[in-house]
Amino acid sequence: MNKILVILWLCLSLNASAQYCLLFDIKVDEPEMVVSAMNDLMNTEWGKNLEATKSLFAYGPNGSNEATHTIQFCFPSEAAFEKAFISYGQSKEAQLVWERKLEAFSSNISQTLNTPIWYNDEDWAEDNVFMFYQMEVSNPGLYLSEFKDFTKKMAKKLNFSDRSYGLAAPIVGKTGDYTHFAWIGHPDIKTALTDSKKMMSDPLFAEFSKNVSEVRKVVNILMLIRIADF
């Protein structure tokens, strides 16, 4: 948990106003114990007063990622980071739960702090399954332009304009594997698979892939399944 304090502190120096999502990718053998530990953590005074969405996701087919789950704290502002940083340092109860209970049933795979570059104006909390596309992007400006044009057309064509989707980048943490990731939210696994199949066989997808082939390399395609919100 000490690493989360370092990440939060680094983010306080950023001047841009944006949302930030802190992702802890972990590997666990007893998923029910992680849920129990997260419940205990969120029932501390620190957890109750945390100005963030707090969620646990399981990975479905997850490519080369060794993680089985990801814990996500999404903050609305830099001020929320500051409050979390200061209050965690003052909460021995929260520190004990994280360091002695949560870490006893999990091993850390990676930690990243991520910020959206562009996204549609829909609440990601309404979606239960997410397709994540981790990529190496060499020309962010070009890729963003193509991505916005493609996703707006595809969302209208496949009728997912009311779901969350967008492009984000890790700004602190383990970033060597990829530079950006795109996400598309879905209500359930069946819809996620059906829509992904339709998208990948659509001429719009072929055109988009051709347009970004020189600036994008797909590293991993992941499925995140919401287990619990706290």
Side-chain angles (χ1 to χ4, degrees), residues 147-162:
F147 177 82
K148 289 169 65 176
D149 183 60
F150 163 70
T151 52
K152 288 179 180 179
K153 291 178 181 177
M154 187 58 65
K156 184 176 181 180
K157 191 170 186 178
L158 296 185
N159 196 29
F160 62 81
S161 298
D162 59 342

Side-chain angles (χ1 to χ4, degrees), residues 60-103:
N62 61 345
S64 60
N65 191 341
E66 296 181 7
T68 60
H69 294 74
T70 182
I71 298 169
Q72 299 186 6
F73 298 128
C74 290
F75 298 84
S77 66
E78 291 82 0
F81 273 112
E82 183 172 31
K83 183 178 179 181
F85 171 77
I86 294 173
S87 60
Y88 180 80
Q90 296 172 342
S91 176
K92 292 182 179 180
E93 182 185 14
Q95 293 175 45
L96 287 174
V97 172
W98 186 286
E99 295 172 5
R100 294 187 181 181
K101 187 169 184 179
L102 185 59
E103 290 186 349

Side-chain angles (χ1 to χ4, degrees), residues 51-198:
E51 189 182 353
T53 59
K54 298 149 283 190
S55 304
L56 175 66
F57 290 86
Y59 280 114
N62 61 345
S64 60
N65 191 341
E66 296 181 7
T68 60
H69 294 74
T70 182
I71 298 169
Q72 299 186 6
F73 298 128
C74 290
F75 298 84
S77 66
E78 291 82 0
F81 273 112
E82 183 172 31
K83 183 178 179 181
F85 171 77
I86 294 173
S87 60
Y88 180 80
Q90 296 172 342
S91 176
K92 292 182 179 180
E93 182 185 14
Q95 293 175 45
L96 287 174
V97 172
W98 186 286
E99 295 172 5
R100 294 187 181 181
K101 187 169 184 179
L102 185 59
E103 290 186 349
F105 297 102
S106 65
S107 54
N108 178 63
I109 300 300
S110 70
Q111 302 176 16
T112 55
L113 178 77
N114 307 274
T115 190
I117 297 172
W118 175 84
Y119 60 100
N120 72 325
D121 191 21
E122 296 293 336
D123 186 3
W124 72 274
E126 299 297 320
D127 297 318
N128 296 313
V129 178
F130 295 86
M131 296 300 294
F132 262 42
Y133 305 87
Q134 297 173 340
M135 305 162 289
E136 292 181 3
V137 178
S138 59
N139 188 330
L142 173 61
Y143 184 80
L144 175 59
S145 177
E146 293 289 343
F147 177 82
K148 289 169 65 176
D149 183 60
F150 163 70
T151 52
K152 288 179 180 179
K153 291 178 181 177
M154 187 58 65
K156 184 176 181 180
K157 191 170 186 178
L158 296 185
N159 196 29
F160 62 81
S161 298
D162 59 342
R163 304 179 209 158
S164 63
Y165 56 88
L167 181 68
I171 54 175
V172 180
K174 183 181 178 182
T175 60
D177 295 337
Y178 57 94
T179 62
H180 296 73
F181 66 83
W183 80 91
I184 302 176
H186 304 275
D188 49 49
I189 295 174
K190 179 181 177 180
T191 306
L193 294 176
T194 300
D195 284 358
S196 295
K197 183 178 181 180
K198 290 179 180 177

